[in-house]
Amino acid sequence: MSNQRLGIRWGLCCLFKEEPITFAIRQATHLGKLDRPRQLAQLSATVLHNGNSLIRAIEFCHRQGIGGFRVNSRIFPLKTHPQLGYLLEELPEYDLLDQTYQQAAVLAARLDIRLTFHPDQFTLLSSADAGVTARSLAELAYHGEAAERIGADVITLHGGGGYGDKPAALGRVVALIERLPDSIRSRLALENDDRVYTPADLLPVCAATGIPFIYDVHHHRCHPDGLAIEEVSERACSTWAREPLFHLSSPKEGWQAANPRPHHDFIDIDDLPQCWRHLRITIEVEAKAKEIALKKLADELSAA
DNA sequence: AGCGGTCAAGTTGAT
DNA sequence: ATCAACTTGACCGCT
């Protein structure tokens, strides 16, 4: 990453609103009805499409002055599915898609676009269920491999379920993190969520494990813990040996709404904490209008 | 081409 | 009990 850049690196999450760059998936229900060669052919075409889209996404971000891109976990769809899972090497177009993803990796590094992953809600470090844990570890292994392939440097997870006993659940999180292979642990980061685990819950876990903390200020505002934004921001930064990663969004129907958790199409500039504005951090913007929201935010900030 | 039902996985909380 | 929400709409069969 560049040492010349000043200020905030803005990150776009997964998708585009208007720019015609798309990522495709496959549905297990339908794919399962095909024979294996047809399954692999469809998966190959989809993975290749997604690789080309990733290249175009990186190029778009560079043109727009966007410095980060979160990659959708389903970029290799159904890769960890118990019946339909596959190795990239099995796909008929492997050589071409290998080259394509290498090209994406080289491009992201050259253009200094920070790539991240955010595995979905089924990936849990806190579960007491051995099956859930095993599937989560498989999912993390997948993300670790994918991250290595494209040079992504963060895999973001929440604390997971509380199961009525958060200290016990966090104990399982710590124990599991300590057993993770380095390819995953070196990229893993923990983010506060809007229902269960606050910054006050997770900062000690991060201190105990050396895993960095991702501060989502919207989640913190929905699910506060008595800590001030300034304090959490400072403590979050201190968990990062590299550029910190934060999340920002605005409530769909305002802070007075019965449910402020759903995300707005755009970012209300007042939701960007003052104390973030001088930091050298990555802020991933979770706004439904995607690249349009980032453009609007950048315009408003430069006009301010 | 466009529409509507459906889509791997776990947990929570609103209804 | 059901269901939407979660980092995110897209797929697929039908008309």
Side-chain angles (χ1 to χ4, degrees):
Chain A
M1 268 171 272
S2 166
N3 288 322
Q4 312 304 316
R5 187 178 53 80
L6 294 174
I8 294 166
R9 175 199 301 269
W10 295 101
L12 176 66
C13 293
C14 305
L15 299 172
F16 296 83
K17 176 78 176 180
E18 290 183 2
E19 188 70 14
I21 300 173
T22 62
F23 294 89
I25 59 174
R26 291 289 118 194
Q27 289 181 355
T29 311
H30 301 289
L31 205 65
K33 296 173 187 165
L34 306 179
D35 62 25
R36 189 65 175 163
R38 280 179 234 271
Q39 289 175 4
L40 293 176
Q42 286 211 6
L43 289 164
S44 187
T46 304
V47 168
L48 189 55
H49 169 86
N50 289 347
N52 285 309
S53 291
L54 180 59
I55 289 171
R56 295 177 53 222
I58 291 164
E59 290 170 340
F60 174 87
C61 288
H62 175 66
R63 285 198 306 276
Q64 297 292 312
I66 296 167
F69 185 68
R70 182 189 300 172
V71 181
N72 193 308
S73 290
R74 294 185 283 186
I75 189 162
F76 303 147
L78 300 171
K79 183 131 184 350
T80 60
H81 189 280
Q83 280 82 45
L84 303 171
Y86 54 94
L87 299 174
L88 293 180
E89 290 80 358
E90 292 180 79
L91 300 179
E93 296 160 290
Y94 176 71
D95 289 344
L96 180 55
L97 65 89
D98 181 43
Q99 285 171 33
T100 305
Y101 282 89
Q102 269 187 47
Q103 193 186 334
V106 167
L107 200 59
R110 181 159 62 76
L111 300 179
D112 187 28
I113 306 297
R114 188 182 197 185
L115 300 178
T116 72
F117 280 101
H118 195 338
D120 61 34
Q121 61 271 32
F122 311 104
T123 306
L124 298 164
L125 300 175
S126 58
S127 178
D129 182 302
V132 171
T133 303
R135 287 189 285 278
S136 297
L137 287 172
E139 199 63 22
L140 280 177
Y142 156 66
H143 281 87
E145 280 179 35
E148 206 138 280
R149 185 173 281 273
I150 65 175
D153 85 315
V154 183
I155 298 172
T156 303
L157 281 187
H158 294 293
Y163 311 98
D165 185 348
K166 291 205 284 181
L170 289 179
R172 291 191 292 272
V173 171
V174 171
L176 197 53
I177 287 173
E178 285 170 350
R179 288 175 35 212
L180 289 175
D182 192 58
S183 64
I184 299 168
R185 198 176 47 213
S186 64
R187 294 181 168 93
L188 187 66
L190 291 177
E191 177 195 351
N192 62 302
D193 66 79
D194 56 10
R195 288 182 187 273
V196 183
Y197 293 108
T198 63
D201 292 324
L202 292 181
L203 282 163
V205 174
C206 291
T209 55
I211 297 295
F213 177 70
I214 294 178
Y215 182 28
D216 186 314
V217 71
H218 185 186
H219 290 164
H220 194 209
R221 287 163 170 153
C222 291
H223 186 38
D225 53 9
L227 296 180
I229 290 173
E230 291 74 16
E231 181 183 352
V232 175
S233 299
E234 196 176 318
R235 290 175 65 188
C237 285
S238 73
T239 66
W240 287 88
R242 56 200 196 278
E243 184 173 303
L245 178 61
F246 288 6
H247 289 177
L248 179 65
S249 42
S250 288
K252 184 182 180 67
E253 297 176 69
W255 287 110
Q256 302 313 313
N259 178 8
R261 287 189 299 270
H263 294 170
H264 200 282
D265 286 351
F266 294 95
I267 299 298
D268 182 336
I269 198 166
D270 292 334
D271 288 326
L272 174 65
Q274 282 294 336
C275 67
W276 289 14
R277 300 185 188 203
H278 68 280
L279 296 177
R280 198 154 97 190
I281 56 178
T282 301
I283 302 176
E284 288 183 338
V285 172
E286 296 172 347
K288 301 227 171 240
K290 299 296 174 186
E291 81 281 11
I292 313 299
L294 270 176
K295 175 75 163 60
K296 183 163 178 283
L297 179 61
D299 289 348
E300 288 179 13
L301 281 170
S302 64

